[in-house]
Amino acid sequence: MRTIWNGSISFGLVNIPIGLAVATQRNDVAFRTLHRECGTPIKQKRWCPFHEREVEADELVKGWEVAKGEYIFVEESDLEAVALQRSQAIDIIRFVKLAEVDPVYFDRTYYLAPADADAQRRPYVLLLRAMQESGMAAVGKFVLWGKENLCLIRPQGETLALETLFYADDVRSKSEIEESVQTVEVKKAELALAAQVIDSLVGEWNAADFENEYRRDLNAMLEAKLAGQEIKRPEPAPETPVVDLMEALRRSVEDVQGRRAKTPAKTKAASSGGSRRKAPARKAS
């Protein structure tokens, strides 16, 4: 597995060689902005509205806004004075119960790859097994690309995964939402029906069961357009009539039960995506 950073996990006198590998990537379709007349990609220019001209890269400087429209110049030498040195170790600060870490703090997932040598893999496996059995995770810090990262190392199957974490002051307060919810009361009958709706949709988590339907349809549309087929717009969805909460819950239960009665119990959702073949861009006729 290709790694983007190599170092070690360090806590106490323990040092575990690891490599950091990206765990996720989005496969969304990307578009370029073109000039309709000739199909040429448009370039973004650095434009100064005060001087009404394009500026070169050597004329640019970072600025920190201290008041509306007022900035302090920040030179590269200023940033170098507070720059972090690239670290070669993830320093573990403490071990915590994994269940206590709210996913709202999770930023990006990486895999931690063990060293190639068998002798160096042993401490990796030892840490993995210890965390699997204890339900604990490790909170640590490391520097990557000049940025200090708070992280959480956790077992994921037979792999150690690393989540970069948001700091507490990066996460917005939800107190306003909580206060508005606390003043609302629900009836027992409503709660019972809501529980019935939830129960009717209970199933096991399997990521492969879920498909990005928009991405699938977008790829199919692009393939059809490439083949010169006419693209038809779908009919607008009918508006859903407003009903009272109890009636909506009852209909939800009936709808789920009806769909389940028509679908075999062990039918797995089929995944269909657009063709991945590459073709040169074409200008629409």
Side-chain angles (χ1 to χ4, degrees):
M1 179 175 284
R2 181 175 176 272
T3 59
I4 61 170
W5 179 90
N6 292 287
S8 62
I9 301 172
S10 176
F11 59 99
L13 299 178
V14 179
N15 198 61
I16 306 173
I18 52 91
L20 193 69
V22 176
T24 59
Q25 65 177 27
R26 288 198 174 274
N27 292 313
D28 294 334
V29 175
F31 296 103
R32 293 287 303 274
T33 302
L34 311 178
H35 184 193
R36 184 181 292 276
E37 183 178 334
C38 61
T40 304
I42 296 299
K43 292 183 178 180
Q44 302 294 333
K45 295 185 176 181
R46 303 180 184 93
W47 184 261
C48 176
F50 181 81
H51 288 100
E52 295 185 340
R53 67 175 177 87
E54 187 178 356
V55 295
E56 300 298 327
D58 59 4
E59 297 181 78
L60 303 178
V61 65
K62 290 182 173 64
W64 178 50
E65 190 170 17
V66 293
K68 184 68 174 178
E70 294 183 20
Y71 300 88
I72 290 178
F73 284 6
V74 180
E75 305 292 345
E76 290 300 323
S77 58
D78 299 325
L79 295 174
E80 289 172 4
V82 294
L84 295 164
Q85 296 298 316
R86 179 183 172 92
S87 64
Q88 290 302 120
I90 301 169
D91 295 316
I92 302 304
I93 301 168
R94 70 181 60 165
F95 286 89
V96 299
K97 291 182 179 178
L98 179 57
E100 292 179 353
V101 184
D102 194 309
V104 73
Y105 290 97
F106 290 5
D107 181 14
R108 189 170 185 184
T109 306
Y110 296 86
Y111 294 136
L112 296 180
D116 293 331
D118 290 341
Q120 292 180 317
R121 287 184 185 179
R122 187 176 180 81
Y124 179 101
V125 176
L126 180 60
L127 179 61
L128 173 64
R129 296 283 180 262
M131 290 203 286
Q132 285 173 333
E133 293 185 8
S134 64
M136 304 296 278
V139 179
K141 284 186 177 183
F142 71 108
V143 176
L144 179 65
W145 299 320
K147 177 184 175 184
E148 182 183 63
N149 293 273
L150 182 67
C151 67
L152 181 84
I153 298 172
R154 61 184 179 89
Q156 188 190 45
E158 290 297 283
T159 303
L160 286 176
L162 180 145
E163 306 281 351
T164 52
L165 301 176
F166 290 109
Y167 285 91
D169 54 3
D170 294 327
V171 178
R172 299 177 65 183
S173 171
K174 60 184 186 299
S175 58
E176 185 179 342
I177 299 173
E178 292 175 335
E179 289 171 5
S180 66
V181 168
Q182 288 171 356
T183 60
V184 180
E185 293 184 3
V186 295
K187 299 175 182 177
K188 288 184 178 180
E190 293 172 338
L191 193 58
L193 266 177
Q196 195 174 345
V197 173
I198 293 171
D199 186 60
S200 66
L201 290 170
V202 167
E204 294 183 357
W205 164 252
N206 182 359
D209 290 343
F210 306 96
E211 180 184 15
N212 186 323
E213 296 177 12
Y214 171 75
R215 184 186 298 164
R216 177 200 65 197
D217 295 343
L218 178 61
N219 278 306
M221 180 273 288
L222 292 172
E223 291 290 340
K225 198 171 182 68
L226 186 63
Q229 299 174 14
E230 183 183 356
I231 308 301
K232 295 181 179 179
R233 290 189 178 185
E235 295 294 328
E239 292 186 9
T240 304
V242 178
V243 294
D244 65 70
L245 182 58
M246 288 293 286
E247 182 62 19
L249 289 168
R250 287 194 190 95
R251 289 188 187 181
S252 297
V253 173
E254 292 170 0
D255 179 60
V256 172
Q257 290 175 341
R259 282 189 281 114
R260 283 199 165 181
K262 297 177 183 177
T263 307
K266 293 187 178 181
T267 298
K268 205 169 186 179
S271 175
S272 61
S275 170
R276 294 186 179 181
R277 66 186 179 90
K278 294 184 178 179
R282 296 185 185 176
K283 179 183 172 183
S285 59

